[in-house]
Amino acid sequence: MLQRQYACIACDALVDIQSLKPGQVAKCPRCQHVILTRKYNPINSTIALCLSGLILYLPAVFYPLMSLQVLSVESSASLYSGIHALWQSELYIVACLVFIFCALTPLVKLIAALLVSVGVKYQQTHHNWYRRLLVYYIRADSWEMLEVFLIGILVSIFKLRDMATLHYDLGLLCFCLLMLCVVSLKVTMDKQLIWDHVDAR
Ligand SMILES: [Zn+2]
């Protein structure tokens, strides 16, 4: 049975842990901190979340998030049109940052997580690119900031609600669902299980 040594992040103790079965939890013998949890069916759940996120991605980015009506003039904005407006206003760095953290990184994360999970499911983790793909996912995981963009939307709704009539569009629903899919990946994806598959090859 595969046995690995893990460091407890609470007390720095090194603990030998054997392969866990689904639902099992490994705790530190010194401080009882949970070191490792083996989730139920994490690969299929991750694939389902990635596919849902990829289906939602295009409407979340290109569909209008909300419409603003002042007197008889109505305008709508999507994530894409927001980035385009920032670029047109010569705020090039801000436009690039929003594009990278709110549009590009979530897409990279979803595709990388999908390919990694499919690789484990069909026992294709021996390829050279597989380990690199997993590292890409871990890096993208730290830089994805859809939640920050959503907070920006909520702040603008709060500020504009007395000045204009707001209509919420389909893009906002897709964006919120996309964010839920991407955030849920952090909980669902069992990176340790995937590393075990990579190292076993
Ligand atoms: Zn400990």
Side-chain angles (χ1 to χ4, degrees):
M1 187 176 281
L2 186 65
Q3 181 168 308
R4 283 174 171 277
Q5 203 167 46
Y6 294 86
C8 171
I9 59 167
C11 71
D12 289 338
L14 290 174
V15 184
D16 290 322
I17 299 174
Q18 291 186 335
S19 294
L20 300 179
K21 291 176 181 165
Q24 281 188 324
V25 175
K27 290 184 178 177
C28 171
R30 188 198 278 170
C31 70
Q32 296 302 307
H33 181 81
V34 174
I35 296 177
L36 195 62
T37 306
R38 185 63 77 232
K39 300 171 180 107
Y40 286 102
N41 212 354
I43 300 301
N44 285 344
S45 307
T46 303
I47 291 173
L49 277 174
C50 291
L51 290 175
S52 307
L54 288 171
I55 290 167
L56 289 163
Y57 182 82
L58 285 179
V61 171
F62 292 102
Y63 277 22
L65 298 169
M66 57 186 173
S67 307
L68 183 74
Q69 187 177 358
V70 181
L71 300 175
S72 58
V73 180
E74 185 169 339
S75 60
S76 60
S78 65
L79 176 56
Y80 170 76
S81 68
I83 294 168
H84 189 252
L86 286 169
W87 189 267
Q88 293 288 315
S89 308
E90 299 184 356
L91 296 166
Y92 301 122
I93 294 175
V94 181
C96 287
L97 289 176
V98 175
F99 172 72
I100 290 169
F101 296 130
C102 296
L104 184 63
T105 316
L107 183 63
V108 170
K109 190 175 159 178
L110 286 169
I111 292 173
L114 179 64
L115 293 176
V116 162
S117 303
V118 169
V120 172
K121 189 174 174 66
Y122 294 104
Q123 307 289 320
Q124 297 295 318
T125 53
H126 56 280
H127 294 297
N128 292 333
W129 51 264
Y130 190 85
R131 190 180 289 265
R132 203 174 303 153
L133 197 64
L134 189 50
V135 173
Y136 284 151
Y137 169 81
I138 292 167
R139 287 185 184 157
D141 196 24
S142 314
W143 289 103
E144 164 271 313
M145 295 186 187
L146 284 177
E147 313 88 278
V148 179
F149 191 79
L150 186 64
I151 291 171
I153 294 172
L154 293 175
V155 170
S156 63
I157 289 173
F158 186 76
K159 286 194 168 184
L160 291 169
R161 62 182 178 161
D162 295 330
M163 296 155 55
T165 307
L166 291 172
H167 301 286
Y168 306 108
D169 291 321
L170 183 63
L172 186 61
L173 176 66
C174 294
F175 185 86
C176 292
L177 292 174
L178 172 65
M179 191 197 72
L180 281 177
C181 288
V182 172
V183 171
S184 301
L185 272 182
K186 290 179 198 277
V187 182
T188 309
M189 193 161 170
D190 194 337
K191 291 197 278 285
Q192 198 54 56
L193 176 73
I194 293 168
W195 278 122
D196 287 349
H197 276 270
V198 174
D199 290 342
R201 293 275 154 184

